[in-house]
Amino acid sequence: MSNLKLNDSVGHWVAEHPHTADIFETLKIDYCCGGNQSLEEACWKSGLETLRVHSQLQRVIAGIDDDSVDDWLHASLSDLCNHIEQTHHAYLKAELSRLTDLIAMVKNTRGDACPEIVEVQQHFIALRNEMLPHTAREDGVLFPAIRHLEQFGALPDDRIHSIEKPIRAMLFEHLDVGDGLRNIRKAANDFAVPPNACDSYRDMLASLRRLETDTHHHIHKENHILFPRAIELESSLQTHNEAQ
């Protein structure tokens, strides 16, 4: 059982117990960009019975073998950066390209009968154009800086004077990503499959749903685990250096 309480943040629940993300996905509770809200507040905003949700979370936690769950709260920051790059960033690069072609094909074949696809495509392209340069900046600048900070106790060069400034920029961009995902879901009618949908249409909706879920996991790991730990490390190193 978990010692977490109703006033603990949703993001902290998922950081401590990653499998609870599945419940929050089902309940449509934002645990990434909106992960700083308490469980009680999140339930109230969603019109959910708080104690029932808390009980549901506790049942899931009690049924999980802790050894089967990656503990990113205590792994090295370098390992977490590697995981995000190799798992979430690699998935995005491949899937955003595939979905670009798939959505265009569905629009060309079904656009007249399903005009909502035009709006889905517009929001998807906006999201894609936000996420690709965003992940490139993380891979090329921020994550190497975090690895260097952890390994050598200092930032790699004068391009970054503090790890907190680029992290703040990433957090703001995550808000835009969250808005983009919500726009896609709304345009796609909550990914409901329309009558007589072809296989390509079904694949498109299922793929957009998977993209949403994976991005929620991805942003949560950065917002509520990697970034706070990197800022904490830099602060502790600065305190140590000033004390010497």
Side-chain angles (χ1 to χ4, degrees):
M1 299 292 284
S2 172
N3 292 322
L4 295 177
K5 307 298 183 184
L6 298 179
N7 59 354
D8 285 304
S9 72
V10 174
H12 191 44
W13 274 88
V14 178
E16 289 279 358
H17 306 287
H19 278 71
T20 60
D22 294 337
I23 293 178
F24 292 124
E25 286 284 346
T26 300
L27 298 176
K28 299 181 182 179
I29 290 176
D30 182 1
Y31 58 90
C32 51
C33 297
N36 289 328
Q37 61 185 331
S38 70
L39 176 62
E40 187 172 39
E41 180 184 4
C43 291
W44 179 79
K45 287 181 178 178
S46 299
L48 299 169
E49 188 177 336
T50 305
L51 293 180
R52 179 171 292 181
V53 173
H54 184 265
S55 177
Q56 187 178 2
L57 292 168
Q58 294 286 14
R59 288 198 301 273
V60 168
I61 293 167
I64 293 172
D65 177 5
D66 289 340
D67 292 336
S68 69
V69 180
D70 291 320
D71 184 7
W72 296 120
L73 282 173
H74 301 98
S76 73
L77 297 182
S78 296
D79 284 346
L80 181 50
C81 287
N82 293 342
H83 163 75
I84 291 172
E85 286 180 348
Q86 295 165 11
T87 303
H88 300 294
H89 289 187
Y91 164 80
L92 278 174
K93 290 172 185 176
E95 189 65 359
L96 290 175
S97 176
R98 188 185 75 87
L99 267 168
T100 297
D101 295 336
L102 177 60
I103 294 171
M105 183 186 70
V106 173
K107 177 189 171 186
N108 289 336
T109 57
R110 299 275 296 178
D112 292 338
C114 305
E116 70 275 6
I117 298 176
V118 175
E119 188 176 357
V120 169
Q121 184 184 51
Q122 290 172 343
H123 290 307
F124 171 79
I125 290 173
L127 178 73
R128 181 199 64 192
N129 292 345
E130 175 79 25
M131 296 194 77
L132 288 176
H134 173 89
T135 55
R137 286 191 292 273
E138 289 182 339
D139 291 348
V141 180
L142 181 55
F143 287 7
I146 291 174
R147 293 187 185 99
H148 198 279
L149 182 68
E150 181 177 55
Q151 184 174 357
F152 300 106
L155 294 170
D157 52 51
D158 291 339
R159 289 183 302 167
I160 301 179
H161 299 287
S162 170
I163 206 74
E164 191 168 356
K165 184 175 180 179
I167 283 176
R168 283 202 303 269
M170 295 298 105
L171 290 172
F172 277 118
E173 291 179 9
H174 285 172
L175 294 175
D176 292 335
V177 170
D179 288 340
L181 291 171
R182 283 187 287 272
N183 289 337
I184 291 172
R185 173 180 276 275
K186 182 178 179 181
N189 298 316
D190 278 339
F191 309 124
V193 179
N196 302 319
C198 63
D199 289 343
S200 295
Y201 199 111
R202 293 174 183 272
D203 183 19
M204 179 190 74
L205 293 177
S207 298
L208 288 171
R209 185 189 291 273
R210 284 194 300 271
L211 175 69
E212 179 189 69
T213 300
D214 188 85
T215 304
H216 286 163
H217 286 285
H218 170 187
I219 291 179
H220 172 267
K221 289 171 186 172
E222 293 182 353
N223 280 19
H224 300 284
I225 304 178
L226 177 63
F227 293 167
R229 289 186 58 199
I231 291 172
E232 183 181 11
L233 173 62
E234 182 177 51
S235 177
S236 66
L237 290 170
Q238 289 173 344
T239 301
H240 175 74
N241 292 335
E242 291 170 356
Q244 288 184 333

